[in-house]
Amino acid sequence: MAERTIHLTTNTSDDEYDDHRLIEDVRKDPRKFGLLYKKYANPVYRYIFTRTGNQQIAEDITSQTFLAALESIRNFRQDGNFGAWLFTIARNKVNDHFRRSKTVTPIHEAELIADGSDPLASSIQSDQSNTVQALIKSLSEDEQELLRLRFIAELSYSNIAHLSHKSEDAVKKSIYRLLARLQSQVEVNNE
C-alpha cells in the first residue's frame, strides 16, 4: 500500500476534505487514528514545545492532546475544522499544565526545534537573533500566540481563524501587520 503524504499547508478545502474522510474512517475503526496523528503530531508538538520550553513536558502534553482527541473524536462536528479543534485541545492541555505548575516559558526563551530544513530556526541563529528575541519578548501574548500558530505549528490562516474565532482575513491582516512591524523594528535596530 502506497503511503500518502498530507501537508498542513496544502489547499484548505482539500485539507478539510481529507480530514473529514479520515475522521469518518477513525469513527469506523479507531486504529486508523494513526493517520491523523501522523498528519498533526509534529505541528502540535512544536506548538506545545514553544509554549513549555521543555521536551519531556511537550511530549507528555502532546500525548495527552492526542489521547483526548481520540477519546472525543465522536463529538467532533464534521462542519468544524479538525486542525482548529485539535489545537484547541492542545492549548487547553498546555493551559492546564501551567495552572498546575505555575510556570510559563515565553516564546522568546523557548529553544526552537531545528530539523535542518526549518528556515525560521536557521534565521533565529543568525546575527539578528538577539534583536528578534527582544522584539518578540515585547509582543503581547496574543501576538506571540499568532506567531506560534503560524510559524511554529505551521497552521494555515483558515485553521488559525477557526481556532481564534476570527475571520481568515482578520488573521491574515494581523499576522502581516505584525510581521511588517517586526521587520521595520529590526531594520531600525540594524541602522
Side-chain angles (χ1 to χ4, degrees):
M1 178 178 201
E3 186 175 332
R4 274 185 8 173
T5 303
I6 302 171
H7 298 283
L8 198 59
T9 57
T10 60
N11 181 328
T12 303
S13 61
D14 290 342
D15 190 44
E16 288 174 8
Y17 174 75
D18 286 343
D19 283 352
H20 291 300
R21 196 172 66 223
L22 286 171
I23 291 163
E24 284 304 313
D25 289 347
V26 170
R27 286 178 173 163
K28 294 173 188 169
D29 182 1
R31 292 175 296 185
K32 292 187 178 182
F33 188 76
L35 296 172
L36 286 169
Y37 178 84
K38 280 182 182 179
K39 180 177 179 179
Y40 287 100
N42 286 332
V44 167
Y45 173 79
R46 285 192 306 262
Y47 168 76
I48 293 170
F49 183 82
T50 62
R51 295 282 313 273
T52 64
N54 181 293
Q55 182 179 355
Q56 183 63 43
I57 292 171
E59 288 171 357
D60 290 346
I61 296 173
T62 300
S63 296
Q64 293 170 19
T65 298
F66 282 98
L67 180 60
L70 177 59
E71 290 173 346
S72 58
I73 194 82
R74 295 206 182 280
N75 298 331
F76 174 72
R77 293 185 333 248
Q78 284 289 23
D79 60 338
N81 182 297
F82 182 77
W85 180 74
L86 184 62
F87 274 88
T88 298
I89 293 171
R91 180 187 282 174
N92 290 339
K93 294 291 182 185
V94 169
N95 290 340
D96 290 345
H97 165 76
F98 287 141
R99 274 192 286 280
R100 286 190 307 271
S101 69
K102 303 288 185 206
T103 60
V104 176
T105 302
I107 187 174
H108 64 278
E109 290 180 7
E111 295 176 25
L112 292 178
I113 305 156
D115 63 1
S117 64
D118 184 359
L120 180 60
S122 298
S123 69
I124 293 296
Q125 295 170 357
S126 73
D127 293 336
Q128 297 177 343
S129 67
N130 289 336
T131 302
V132 172
Q133 287 180 358
L135 292 172
I136 290 173
K137 183 179 179 180
S138 70
L139 298 175
S140 71
E141 180 56 34
D142 288 342
E143 291 170 328
Q144 289 182 30
E145 184 72 355
L146 279 176
L147 292 177
R148 280 187 202 101
L149 294 172
R150 182 66 181 144
F151 299 106
I152 304 299
E154 299 177 351
L155 290 182
S156 67
Y157 293 110
S158 174
N159 283 340
I160 296 170
H162 281 92
L163 184 60
S164 61
H165 306 291
K166 296 179 181 176
S167 73
E168 189 172 339
D169 285 339
V171 168
K172 283 181 184 178
K173 287 177 185 176
S174 295
I175 291 174
Y176 289 144
R177 287 178 183 154
L178 177 58
L179 292 175
R181 191 173 84 219
L182 287 171
Q183 173 84 27
S184 68
Q185 290 174 334
V186 167
E187 290 170 0
V188 166
N189 287 337
N190 286 332
E191 289 181 350

